[in-house]
Amino acid sequence: MSLYDEGHTVAGWTGVGIATVGGSVAGLGVCTASLPVVAAGLAVVAASVLVTWVLHLSGWGKPPGVRPRDQWGMRVRDSGAREGHDGCVGCRLAGRGRRTEGPGPASVPDAVAAEPVPVAPAE
């Protein structure tokens, strides 16, 4: 089994199940040439994204990357979901996520900032 164990979660499998139903409905709409059925299928696919995201944020999804072996089970809820996961786009979209402290914007010393900038005379 892979150390990454991506997608083996309640959020992942629920999202795939809902998206499969939505894709099937959209395919049925294409085969029957029915635009409303295609639109309904695509709406179900969009709903699957939202359901997966909500489940991930509530702890039923896992962060990307290597996890300890005791967290590989599908029924193990992630206790770190409330703070957000490193490198997780879904957590960042929700306003969560651990931000690493890096160098901030370069500061300009006060003496340099106070000096007037010379302007060339107009010709």
Side-chain angles (χ1 to χ4, degrees), residues 37-115:
V37 176
V38 171
L42 294 177
V44 171
V45 170
S48 75
V49 172
L50 295 176
V51 167
T52 304
W53 185 40
V54 168
L55 285 171
H56 172 77
L57 293 176
S58 65
W60 290 111
K62 303 289 190 225
V66 179
R67 295 193 315 266
R69 178 105 167 121
D70 62 337
Q71 294 182 8
W72 283 5
M74 195 166 112
R75 293 188 177 123
V76 177
R77 196 164 184 182
D78 183 21
S79 60
R82 186 170 294 261
E83 293 86 31
H85 303 113
D86 290 330
C88 178
V89 175
C91 289
R92 275 189 267 142
L93 287 173
R96 299 179 184 179
R98 299 180 187 120
R99 296 187 182 14
T100 56
E101 295 298 324
S107 61
V108 178
D110 292 335
V112 175
E115 292 179 14

